[in-house]
Amino acid sequence: NDGMFGGNAAHRWRLVQTHANSAPAFGIYQRTEANRYQAFGLHVLECEGDKLSQITNFIDPSLPARFALPDELE
């Protein structure tokens, strides 16, 4: 199963769970041509009660490291 995307988009992204200001967040990693995953940015989720109300995306490769996440994944 290729998940949400098939073809060339399959396995293009990986997410690593973290927290930002007590909110759930994910470090975003993009697959390189060398089949490694390079830091790309951060998704921060906002919830109202038990429902997801907003996702804020920060495209900045330096952000995952600020949340103790690696710069690169294998």
Side-chain angles (χ1 to χ4, degrees):
N1 182 341
D2 287 334
M4 186 183 313
F5 301 105
N8 291 336
H11 308 290
R12 182 178 295 169
W13 302 98
R14 289 182 66 189
L15 302 178
V16 178
Q17 186 176 358
T18 189
H19 288 86
N21 297 327
S22 301
F26 293 91
I28 310 165
Y29 294 82
Q30 184 177 34
R31 187 181 67 210
T32 67
E33 290 191 21
N35 286 323
R36 299 182 65 82
Y37 288 85
Q38 195 68 37
F40 185 81
L42 197 74
H43 290 312
V44 180
L45 285 57
E46 293 181 39
C47 298
E48 292 181 16
D50 62 350
K51 299 188 188 258
L52 180 63
S53 61
Q54 183 170 329
I55 301 173
T56 304
N57 301 302
F58 298 93
I59 300 172
D60 180 342
S62 72
L63 286 176
R66 294 181 187 186
F67 293 86
L69 297 175
D71 291 330
E72 187 174 85
L73 304 174
E74 290 188 32

PDB file of all heavy atoms in Angstrom, residues 58-73:
ATOM      1  N   PHE A  58       5.012  24.936   8.773  1.00  0.00           N
ATOM      2  CA  PHE A  58       6.187  25.795   8.745  1.00  0.00           C
ATOM      3  C   PHE A  58       7.219  25.117   7.856  1.00  0.00           C
ATOM      4  O   PHE A  58       7.714  24.047   8.198  1.00  0.00           O
ATOM      5  CB  PHE A  58       6.759  25.996  10.150  1.00  0.00           C
ATOM      6  CG  PHE A  58       5.806  26.675  11.087  1.00  0.00           C
ATOM      7  CD1 PHE A  58       4.971  25.934  11.908  1.00  0.00           C
ATOM      8  CD2 PHE A  58       5.741  28.063  11.141  1.00  0.00           C
ATOM      9  CE1 PHE A  58       4.093  26.565  12.784  1.00  0.00           C
ATOM     10  CE2 PHE A  58       4.862  28.705  12.011  1.00  0.00           C
ATOM     11  CZ  PHE A  58       4.034  27.940  12.836  1.00  0.00           C
ATOM     12  N   ILE A  59       7.513  25.704   6.713  1.00  0.00           N
ATOM     13  CA  ILE A  59       8.500  25.139   5.804  1.00  0.00           C
ATOM     14  C   ILE A  59       9.830  25.813   6.095  1.00  0.00           C
ATOM     15  O   ILE A  59      10.107  26.916   5.630  1.00  0.00           O
ATOM     16  CB  ILE A  59       8.063  25.328   4.337  1.00  0.00           C
ATOM     17  CG1 ILE A  59       6.735  24.621   4.112  1.00  0.00           C
ATOM     18  CG2 ILE A  59       9.138  24.790   3.385  1.00  0.00           C
ATOM     19  CD1 ILE A  59       6.119  24.893   2.760  1.00  0.00           C
ATOM     20  N   ASP A  60      10.605  25.125   6.917  1.00  0.00           N
ATOM     21  CA  ASP A  60      11.912  25.622   7.347  1.00  0.00           C
ATOM     22  C   ASP A  60      12.723  24.408   7.793  1.00  0.00           C
ATOM     23  O   ASP A  60      12.434  23.828   8.839  1.00  0.00           O
ATOM     24  CB  ASP A  60      11.754  26.614   8.492  1.00  0.00           C
ATOM     25  CG  ASP A  60      13.066  27.171   8.999  1.00  0.00           C
ATOM     26  OD1 ASP A  60      14.141  26.575   8.732  1.00  0.00           O
ATOM     27  OD2 ASP A  60      13.030  28.199   9.700  1.00  0.00           O
ATOM     28  N   PRO A  61      13.715  23.983   7.021  1.00  0.00           N
ATOM     29  CA  PRO A  61      14.477  22.780   7.342  1.00  0.00           C
ATOM     30  C   PRO A  61      15.208  22.820   8.686  1.00  0.00           C
ATOM     31  O   PRO A  61      15.602  21.781   9.187  1.00  0.00           O
ATOM     32  CB  PRO A  61      15.486  22.655   6.194  1.00  0.00           C
ATOM     33  CG  PRO A  61      14.911  23.447   5.087  1.00  0.00           C
ATOM     34  CD  PRO A  61      14.116  24.548   5.723  1.00  0.00           C
ATOM     35  N   SER A  62      15.364  23.993   9.288  1.00  0.00           N
ATOM     36  CA  SER A  62      16.042  24.071  10.587  1.00  0.00           C
ATOM     37  C   SER A  62      15.108  23.752  11.756  1.00  0.00           C
ATOM     38  O   SER A  62      15.575  23.507  12.871  1.00  0.00           O
ATOM     39  CB  SER A  62      16.657  25.465  10.786  1.00  0.00           C
ATOM     40  OG  SER A  62      15.647  26.438  11.018  1.00  0.00           O
ATOM     41  N   LEU A  63      13.810  23.739  11.533  1.00  0.00           N
ATOM     42  CA  LEU A  63      12.867  23.573  12.646  1.00  0.00           C
ATOM     43  C   LEU A  63      12.897  22.212  13.331  1.00  0.00           C
ATOM     44  O   LEU A  63      12.871  22.168  14.562  1.00  0.00           O
ATOM     45  CB  LEU A  63      11.446  23.903  12.194  1.00  0.00           C
ATOM     46  CG  LEU A  63      11.170  25.385  12.006  1.00  0.00           C
ATOM     47  CD1 LEU A  63       9.760  25.598  11.469  1.00  0.00           C
ATOM     48  CD2 LEU A  63      11.352  26.138  13.302  1.00  0.00           C
ATOM     49  N   PRO A  64      12.927  21.079  12.634  1.00  0.00           N
ATOM     50  CA  PRO A  64      12.938  19.812  13.361  1.00  0.00           C
ATOM     51  C   PRO A  64      14.057  19.721  14.402  1.00  0.00           C
ATOM     52  O   PRO A  64      13.833  19.237  15.515  1.00  0.00           O
ATOM     53  CB  PRO A  64      13.091  18.764  12.253  1.00  0.00           C
ATOM     54  CG  PRO A  64      12.369  19.393  11.092  1.00  0.00           C
ATOM     55  CD  PRO A  64      12.776  20.854  11.189  1.00  0.00           C
ATOM     56  N   ALA A  65      15.240  20.220  14.099  1.00  0.00           N
ATOM     57  CA  ALA A  65      16.353  20.160  15.054  1.00  0.00           C
ATOM     58  C   ALA A  65      16.041  20.954  16.325  1.00  0.00           C
ATOM     59  O   ALA A  65      16.486  20.593  17.413  1.00  0.00           O
ATOM     60  CB  ALA A  65      17.636  20.674  14.415  1.00  0.00           C
ATOM     61  N   ARG A  66      15.271  22.017  16.214  1.00  0.00           N
ATOM     62  CA  ARG A  66      14.896  22.815  17.392  1.00  0.00           C
ATOM     63  C   ARG A  66      13.963  22.056  18.322  1.00  0.00           C
ATOM     64  O   ARG A  66      13.752  22.460  19.454  1.00  0.00           O
ATOM     65  CB  ARG A  66      14.234  24.118  16.959  1.00  0.00           C
ATOM     66  CG  ARG A  66      15.195  25.029  16.231  1.00  0.00           C
ATOM     67  CD  ARG A  66      14.510  26.294  15.849  1.00  0.00           C
ATOM     68  NE  ARG A  66      15.399  27.114  15.007  1.00  0.00           N
ATOM     69  CZ  ARG A  66      15.111  28.323  14.622  1.00  0.00           C
ATOM     70  NH1 ARG A  66      13.976  28.890  14.989  1.00  0.00           N
ATOM     71  NH2 ARG A  66      15.944  28.977  13.857  1.00  0.00           N
ATOM     72  N   PHE A  67      13.398  20.959  17.836  1.00  0.00           N
ATOM     73  CA  PHE A  67      12.511  20.118  18.635  1.00  0.00           C
ATOM     74  C   PHE A  67      13.168  18.778  18.931  1.00  0.00           C
ATOM     75  O   PHE A  67      12.492  17.770  19.128  1.00  0.00           O
ATOM     76  CB  PHE A  67      11.168  19.956  17.919  1.00  0.00           C
ATOM     77  CG  PHE A  67      10.398  21.234  17.842  1.00  0.00           C
ATOM     78  CD1 PHE A  67      10.626  22.133  16.812  1.00  0.00           C
ATOM     79  CD2 PHE A  67       9.492  21.577  18.828  1.00  0.00           C
ATOM     80  CE1 PHE A  67       9.944  23.345  16.748  1.00  0.00           C
ATOM     81  CE2 PHE A  67       8.796  22.776  18.777  1.00  0.00           C
ATOM     82  CZ  PHE A  67       9.035  23.665  17.745  1.00  0.00           C
ATOM     83  N   ALA A  68      14.501  18.765  18.938  1.00  0.00           N
ATOM     84  CA  ALA A  68      15.314  17.577  19.258  1.00  0.00           C
ATOM     85  C   ALA A  68      15.085  16.429  18.267  1.00  0.00           C
ATOM     86  O   ALA A  68      15.223  15.279  18.615  1.00  0.00           O
ATOM     87  CB  ALA A  68      15.075  17.124  20.698  1.00  0.00           C
ATOM     88  N   LEU A  69      14.736  16.772  17.032  1.00  0.00           N
ATOM     89  CA  LEU A  69      14.596  15.770  15.985  1.00  0.00           C
ATOM     90  C   LEU A  69      15.820  15.815  15.082  1.00  0.00           C
ATOM     91  O   LEU A  69      16.472  16.860  14.957  1.00  0.00           O
ATOM     92  CB  LEU A  69      13.325  16.040  15.163  1.00  0.00           C
ATOM     93  CG  LEU A  69      12.011  15.955  15.931  1.00  0.00           C
ATOM     94  CD1 LEU A  69      10.851  16.360  15.037  1.00  0.00           C
ATOM     95  CD2 LEU A  69      11.788  14.570  16.486  1.00  0.00           C
ATOM     96  N   PRO A  70      16.143  14.704  14.433  1.00  0.00           N
ATOM     97  CA  PRO A  70      17.335  14.681  13.571  1.00  0.00           C
ATOM     98  C   PRO A  70      17.165  15.517  12.315  1.00  0.00           C
ATOM     99  O   PRO A  70      16.052  15.806  11.881  1.00  0.00           O
ATOM    100  CB  PRO A  70      17.482  13.197  13.230  1.00  0.00           C
ATOM    101  CG  PRO A  70      16.118  12.621  13.381  1.00  0.00           C
ATOM    102  CD  PRO A  70      15.444  13.413  14.469  1.00  0.00           C
ATOM    103  N   ASP A  71      18.292  15.892  11.727  1.00  0.00           N
ATOM    104  CA  ASP A  71      18.280  16.617  10.454  1.00  0.00           C
ATOM    105  C   ASP A  71      17.956  15.710   9.284  1.00  0.00           C
ATOM    106  O   ASP A  71      17.510  16.175   8.237  1.00  0.00           O
ATOM    107  CB  ASP A  71      19.649  17.260  10.192  1.00  0.00           C
ATOM    108  CG  ASP A  71      19.950  18.405  11.146  1.00  0.00           C
ATOM    109  OD1 ASP A  71      18.996  19.077  11.591  1.00  0.00           O
ATOM    110  OD2 ASP A  71      21.132  18.612  11.443  1.00  0.00           O
ATOM    111  N   GLU A  72      18.172  14.406   9.484  1.00  0.00           N
ATOM    112  CA  GLU A  72      18.016  13.457   8.391  1.00  0.00           C
ATOM    113  C   GLU A  72      17.566  12.114   8.954  1.00  0.00           C
ATOM    114  O   GLU A  72      17.966  11.714  10.054  1.00  0.00           O
ATOM    115  CB  GLU A  72      19.348  13.310   7.668  1.00  0.00           C
ATOM    116  CG  GLU A  72      19.291  12.495   6.407  1.00  0.00           C
ATOM    117  CD  GLU A  72      20.630  12.517   5.689  1.00  0.00           C
ATOM    118  OE1 GLU A  72      21.488  11.690   6.036  1.00  0.00           O
ATOM    119  OE2 GLU A  72      20.793  13.346   4.780  1.00  0.00           O
ATOM    120  N   LEU A  73      16.724  11.417   8.203  1.00  0.00           N
ATOM    121  CA  LEU A  73      16.287  10.052   8.553  1.00  0.00           C
ATOM    122  C   LEU A  73      16.762   9.107   7.455  1.00  0.00           C
ATOM    123  O   LEU A  73      16.915   9.512   6.312  1.00  0.00           O
ATOM    124  CB  LEU A  73      14.761   9.978   8.621  1.00  0.00           C
ATOM    125  CG  LEU A  73      14.046  10.949   9.555  1.00  0.00           C
ATOM    126  CD1 LEU A  73      12.537  10.811   9.367  1.00  0.00           C
ATOM    127  CD2 LEU A  73      14.435  10.686  10.988  1.00  0.00           C
TER     128      LEU A  73
END
